[in-house]
């Protein structure tokens, strides 16, 4: 598992927090400024829309006034009254050469179902169906939209015009003698877009009807491509890195609504982006500088405090009471040090308990690693092997034990490691006190995953127990062979030992000897009292058998104290 230094981790968290706060503040300020720029652009778009409406209305009002003057001109009236087409054509072309006619693309005179057209120079190379456009839905005194598609079916070009229809009235009779149709072509109409571009300061401008671009002007490279993105969206104002894209509406009287798309330079946007980038760089440098300063401060403080704690842990003695921890500069580190000190005290106390148990235990205690080297031995084990604990620690058992004993002990060790279960066996050792018998108990000590990594052992000296058992067996054999009935009672008058002669005399089976003695003691209660006083009880008396027969017996009883416990030995001999 990978470890981290506390100071570096804390520094990384602080740097991440500072970077996050700085980025959040800068981004919030940037987005707020961007919204303010968009609001300003929307307000400018509304203001410029009013200017566009005013300029267009002014121009078309002048065109209307000129058209009204043409419809009331004497030359036109005279040609219509005379019904002279040559004179009418001359009059119309004379009027179209006037300076006020430069905004008009064509005029058409309608008289008695006939149409006489006078196109301007802008239509010299363009064959528009002016007669058909004049016939469609005439609305007197109103500007309306008329459209025409010219060219082959596969490559038709769409043209959109504004038409104003005025009556031609004979002034003396007040009679309508014809109609004047004035046409303004919006395709390739330089004067409209040029004036709007100058007024808005646009890098590109386009006039469209629906999805069809009627006319466009461009003062920068690829500026018109940006307008296509705006044309395909529903936004009236869009701010991009390339500039501000806006949409205006151009409408004259009852005409259709045309879209005027403009691309304006966005110096404010570039300035905002530059300021944001600059501030972001400054903020990054500031975060790095603050991080370095904080790293030094944190490293200084934490390294000192953690260093004191580390040195305290490293200087803890293997034995003895740990010293109090008094070097903490901060409350948190002091609490850790005090907790560590308290933990060491508890460990020390437990070590003392364990060491006391191991060293003062009469049993032989040892620990061996998987290489059968001694890791821990107590004084009793070293004494039994005629050596010292210092000489045993770290040594393999084949350097200490006799070959025959070592081979058997090694086999038991392998059994413990292979089956991971304790074993018991008896082993005879030649000690300073002579040959002694020991009962060995070996067991595995496992790690957290259940794998054994040490072999523990406890050996109990059973030599005295074996001798006692041997003496007891011998006593039982003697009692079994004697002709006198013998029995041994404990302090509660329970039978500990009885021989076959007693069973034969009493008629009770051996397992019911206590019942026979209970009946006898009820008849002679003074026997126990005398024995408790340390006196010998000897008397000839009657003994009741199980079948009710009475036999005369000579009783000899003595009290015996063994290991602070009182025992009663009673002998019965039948009288001849």
């Amino acid at each position: 598992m990978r470890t981290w230094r506390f100071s570096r981790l804390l520094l990384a968290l602080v740097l991440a927090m500072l970077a996050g706060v700085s980025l959040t503040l800068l981004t919030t300020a940037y987005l707020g400024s961007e919204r303010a720029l968009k609001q300003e652009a929307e307000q400018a778009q509304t203001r410029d829309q009013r200017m566009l409406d005013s300029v267009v209305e002014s121009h078309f009002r002048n065109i209307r006034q000129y058209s009204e003057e043409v419809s009331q001109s004497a030359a036109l009236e005279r040609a219509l009254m005379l019904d002279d087409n040559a004179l009418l054509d001359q009059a119309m072309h004379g009027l179209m050469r006037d300076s006020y006619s430069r905004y008009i693309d064509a005029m058409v005179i309608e008289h008695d179902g006939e149409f006489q057209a006078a196109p301007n120079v802008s239509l010299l190379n363009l064959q528009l169906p002016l007669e058909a456009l004049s016939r469609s839905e005439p609305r007197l005194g109103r500007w309306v939209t008329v459209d025409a598609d010219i060219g082959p079916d596969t490559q038709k070009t769409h043209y959109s015009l504004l038409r104003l229809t005025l009556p031609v009235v004979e002034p003396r009779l007040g009679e309508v003698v014809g109609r004047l149709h004035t046409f303004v072509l919006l395709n390739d109409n330089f004067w409209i877009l040029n004036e709007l571009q100058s007024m808005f300061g646009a890098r590109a401008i386009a006039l469209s009807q629906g999805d069809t671009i009627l006319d466009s002007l461009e003062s920068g490279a690829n500026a018109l491509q940006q307008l296509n993105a705006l044309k395909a969206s529903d936004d009236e104002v869009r701010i991009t890195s390339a500039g501000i894209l806006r949409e205006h509406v151009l409408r004259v009287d009852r005409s259709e609504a045309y879209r005027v798309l403009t691309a304006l330079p966005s110096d404010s946007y570039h300035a905002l982006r530059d300021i944001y980038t600059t501030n972001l760089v400054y903020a990054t440098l500031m975060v790095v500088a603050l991080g370095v300063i904080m790293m030094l401060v944190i490293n200084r403080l934490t390294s000192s405090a953690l260093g004191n704690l580390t040195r305290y842990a490293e200087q803890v003695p293997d034995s003895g009471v740990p010293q109090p921890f008094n070097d903490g500069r901060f409350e948190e580190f002091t609490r850790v040090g005090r907790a560590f000190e308290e933990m060491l005290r508890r460990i020390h106390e437990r070590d003392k308990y364990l060491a006391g148990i191991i060293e003062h235990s009469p049993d032989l205690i040892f620990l061996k690693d998987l290489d059968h080297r001694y890791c821990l031995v107590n004084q009793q084990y070293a004494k039994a092997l005629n050596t010292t604990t210092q000489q045993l620690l770290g040594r393999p058992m084949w350097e200490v034990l006799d070959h025959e004993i070592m081979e058997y002990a090694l086999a038991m060790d392998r059994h413990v490691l292979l089956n991971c279960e304790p074993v018991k066996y008896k082993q005879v050792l030649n000690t300073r006190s002579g040959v002694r018998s020991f009962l060995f108990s070996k067991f595995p000590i496992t790690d957290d995953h259940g794998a054994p990594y040490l072999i523990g052992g406890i050996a109990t000296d059973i030599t005295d127990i074996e001798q006692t058992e041997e003496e007891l067996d011998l006593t039982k054999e003697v009692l079994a062979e004697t002709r006198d009935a013998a029995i041994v009672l404990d302090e509660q008058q329970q039978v500990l030992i009885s021989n076959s002669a007693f069973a034969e005399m009493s008629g009770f089976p051996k397992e019911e000897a206590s019942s026979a003695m209970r009946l006898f003691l009820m008849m002679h209660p003074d026997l126990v009292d005398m024995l408790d006083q340390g006196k010998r009880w000897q008397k000839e008396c009657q003994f009741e058998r199980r079948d009710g027969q009475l036999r005369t017996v000579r009783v000899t009883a003595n009290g015996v104290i063994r290991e602070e416990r009182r025992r009663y030995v009673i002998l019965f001999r039948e009288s001849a």
Side-chain angles (χ1 to χ4, degrees), residues 103-123:
Y103 299 121
I104 300 174
D105 292 290
M107 282 188 173
V108 176
I109 292 295
E110 179 184 350
H111 175 64
D112 293 335
E114 295 182 359
F115 295 87
Q116 185 72 26
N120 206 338
V121 293
S122 59
L123 298 183

Side-chain angles (χ1 to χ4, degrees), residues 382-544:
K383 184 178 179 181
L385 298 181
N386 301 317
T387 184
T388 62
T389 56
Q390 291 76 13
Q391 293 176 341
L392 284 176
L393 292 178
R395 295 178 64 187
M397 64 179 185
W398 46 79
E399 294 182 2
V400 178
L401 302 178
D402 294 338
H403 179 74
E404 184 176 343
I405 296 176
M406 184 272 298
E407 288 292 338
Y408 191 74
L410 184 60
M412 293 296 102
D413 290 350
R414 291 171 179 169
H415 180 83
V416 170
L417 295 176
L418 181 63
N419 300 297
C420 202
E421 62 181 13
V423 296
K424 289 184 179 181
Y425 64 94
K426 189 173 73 172
Q427 188 77 54
V428 177
L429 300 178
N430 188 11
T431 68
R432 294 178 181 178
S433 303
V435 177
R436 309 288 292 181
S437 295
F438 293 90
L439 178 63
F440 281 82
S441 177
K442 289 185 177 180
F443 46 88
I445 298 177
T446 59
D447 57 18
D448 294 337
H449 303 288
Y453 69 99
L454 289 176
I455 302 173
I458 299 176
T460 303
D461 189 348
I462 59 173
T463 304
D464 295 338
I465 296 176
E466 289 180 338
Q467 291 178 354
T468 301
E469 290 178 351
E470 184 178 352
E471 293 175 358
L472 182 59
D473 292 340
L474 181 61
T475 301
K476 288 180 179 180
E477 291 179 3
V478 172
L479 288 175
E481 297 298 330
T482 185
R483 296 178 59 186
D484 293 339
I487 195 166
V488 179
L489 304 178
D490 60 12
E491 294 177 344
Q492 284 75 35
Q493 290 87 47
Q494 297 295 321
V495 176
L496 297 177
I497 302 174
S498 66
N499 62 357
S500 57
F502 181 80
E504 182 180 352
M505 180 193 72
S506 64
F508 285 88
K510 192 173 184 178
E511 58 271 13
E512 296 182 12
S514 296
S515 300
M517 285 304 302
R518 191 177 303 112
L519 293 174
F520 180 77
L521 294 176
M522 289 175 60
M523 297 176 61
H524 304 282
D526 58 327
L527 186 149
V528 176
D529 294 338
M530 291 289 291
L531 295 179
D532 289 340
Q533 295 175 13
K535 297 180 180 180
R536 178 188 179 98
W537 195 86
Q538 187 173 358
K539 190 175 182 181
E540 186 175 291
C541 56
Q542 297 292 321
F543 185 90
E544 184 177 358

Side-chain angles (χ1 to χ4, degrees), residues 91 96 123 137-138 166 187 212 236 243 252 280 303 312 331 352 357 382 389 419 427 436 453 470 472 543 563-564 566:
M96 289 299 294
L123 298 183
E137 298 181 5
L166 296 174
N187 297 68
T212 303
E236 292 185 351
V252 182
L280 186 61
S303 296
Y312 174 77
E331 181 180 352
K352 287 198 304 182
I357 293 173
T389 56
N419 300 297
Q427 188 77 54
R436 309 288 292 181
Y453 69 99
E470 184 178 352
L472 182 59
F543 185 90
E563 298 179 356
E564 299 182 358
R566 186 176 293 278

Side-chain angles (χ1 to χ4, degrees), residues 338-350:
R338 297 285 170 77
F340 192 67
E341 175 190 342
E342 184 62 27
M343 178 185 68
L344 292 176
R345 289 184 182 277
R346 291 196 298 268
I347 293 175
H348 176 68
E349 291 295 326
R350 293 177 182 177

